[in-house]
Amino acid sequence: MRLKDKVAIITGAASGIGKGTAELFAQEGAAVVVADLPASPGEEVAAAIRAAGGRAEFAPVDVTDAAQVQAMVDGVAARYGRIDVIYNNAGLPQAFTPIEEVTDEYFERLMAVNVKGVFLGSRAVVPHMKRQGSGVILATASTAGVRPRPGLNVYSATKGAVIAFTKALALELAPFGIRVNAINPVATDTPMLPGFIGGGDAEAGRQNFLKTIPLGRLAQPLDIARAALFLASEEASLITGVDLEVDGGRCV
Ligand SMILES: NC(=O)c1ccc[n+]([C@@H]2O[C@H](COP(=O)([O-])OP(=O)(O)OC[C@H]3O[C@@H](n4cnc5c(N)ncnc54)[C@H](O)[C@@H]3O)[C@@H](O)[C@H]2O)c1
C-alpha cells in the first residue's frame, strides 16, 4: 500500500478525476476526504469507498469560500491529527468561446474555482503541514495551461496560473519538507468533457480532441489518479515543482 495511514483531502472528488483518485487513494490505504459542493454526490462516493473496505468521508465545501475551506481543513486536522495530502482538483471547464463573447461574470467564476480554489486549499493546509514537517500539495492544471487551444482563453489562463502558483509554492515550501506538484491532463473522459465543447456536436468535438493526441486515446480518470498517486507517494520524494503531463504526447 503506497499511502498507508495517510490522510488525503481531494477537492472535486464527487466526480470524474477526483472521484477516480479518491477511490485509488483509498485502495492504497489513505483515509480520504471527498471534498465537493453540498449538492454533489460526494456522500455516495464516500459511502461506496467505505462499502469497498476503504476509509472515506464526505466534506461538503465550496472551494471558492475561504471560511468554508479553512473550516473543512481544520476539521480534518482535528479529527485525523494530520493532513498528508491535499489534491486541489475541483474545476470548471470553458466551452470554446471567442474572447469578445466572454463575460466578466464568466471570467470571475472560472478564476474563482480554478485559481482561487487552489490558493485557498493550499493556504489552509500549510500551517498543518509545516507543523508536521511534511506534506504534499497537488493540483489539477491542464495541457491547456501549457499548450492552449483557440477559444479556451480564460480556462487556459486559469491553468497557466495554477502551474506558476505550483512552482512558486514548491520553492517556498521545500525548506519545510512540503512538496508541491501539478498534473496536466489531456482531454479526459469525465462529465466535464462535453462542457469544453458547449452546444456543438459532442462526438465531433471528441474526435477533434482525439486527433491531437499522438497515443490516440483520451485520458481516463484512472490515468490521472495513477499520476496523482505517484506524486503523493514516497516514490516521488525528490519531485517538486513539476507540472506532469498525462497527455498521450499532446504537449510534445
Ligand atoms: N475532463 C477534462 O478533459 C480535463 C482535462 C484537463 C484538466 N481537467 C481538470 O480536471 C479537474 C477535474 O475535472 P473533471 O474532468 O473530473 O470534472 P468533473 O466535472 O467530472 O468534476 C469536477 C468536480 O468539481 C466540483 N466542483 C466544481 N466547482 C466546485 C466548487 N466551487 N467547490 C467544490 N467543488 C466544486 C464539481 O462538483 C465536480 O464534482 C478540473 O480542475 C479540470 O479543469 C479536466
Side-chain angles (χ1 to χ4, degrees), residues 24-63:
L24 185 62
F25 277 23
Q27 283 164 26
E28 293 288 339
V32 176
V33 178
V34 174
D36 208 306
L37 291 169
S40 75
E43 181 51 47
E44 289 156 41
V45 172
I49 290 172
R50 291 193 298 271
R55 294 169 70 200
E57 64 167 282
F58 173 44
V61 66
D62 180 340
V63 299

Side-chain angles (χ1 to χ4, degrees), residues 11-20 35-42 59-65 68-69 87-94 109 112-114 117-118 139-144 155 158-159 183-194 196 209 218-219 221 224 246:
T11 70
S15 177
I17 291 169
K19 175 172 179 248
D36 208 306
L37 291 169
S40 75
V61 66
D62 180 340
V63 299
T64 68
D65 185 309
Q68 286 185 31
V69 172
Y87 183 10
N88 294 303
N89 162 76
L92 295 179
Q94 176 181 14
R109 185 71 195 144
V113 179
N114 293 9
V118 175
T140 310
S142 171
T143 52
Y155 182 80
T158 66
K159 297 305 188 178
I183 300 172
N184 293 340
V186 77
T188 307
D189 214 347
T190 72
M192 183 181 283
L193 192 60
F196 285 110
F209 277 119
L218 301 181
I224 316 305
V246 183

Side-chain angles (χ1 to χ4, degrees), residues 86-173:
I86 188 165
Y87 183 10
N88 294 303
N89 162 76
L92 295 179
Q94 176 181 14
F96 292 106
T97 317
I99 188 64
E100 63 273 30
E101 292 174 19
V102 177
T103 64
D104 294 16
E105 293 71 26
Y106 194 86
F107 174 88
E108 277 153 18
R109 185 71 195 144
L110 231 58
M111 284 289 174
V113 179
N114 293 9
V115 183
K116 190 179 179 194
V118 175
F119 156 67
L120 291 177
S122 305
R123 186 178 66 179
V125 296
V126 162
H128 300 289
M129 291 182 172
K130 279 187 174 174
R131 220 172 7 254
Q132 295 162 194
S134 68
V136 176
I137 298 174
L138 299 176
T140 310
S142 171
T143 52
V146 281
R147 294 282 185 278
R149 288 170 187 272
L152 295 188
N153 32 55
V154 181
Y155 182 80
S156 301
T158 66
K159 297 305 188 178
V162 168
I163 291 166
F165 179 71
T166 294
K167 290 175 188 286
L169 267 198
L171 294 176
E172 181 179 330
L173 298 176

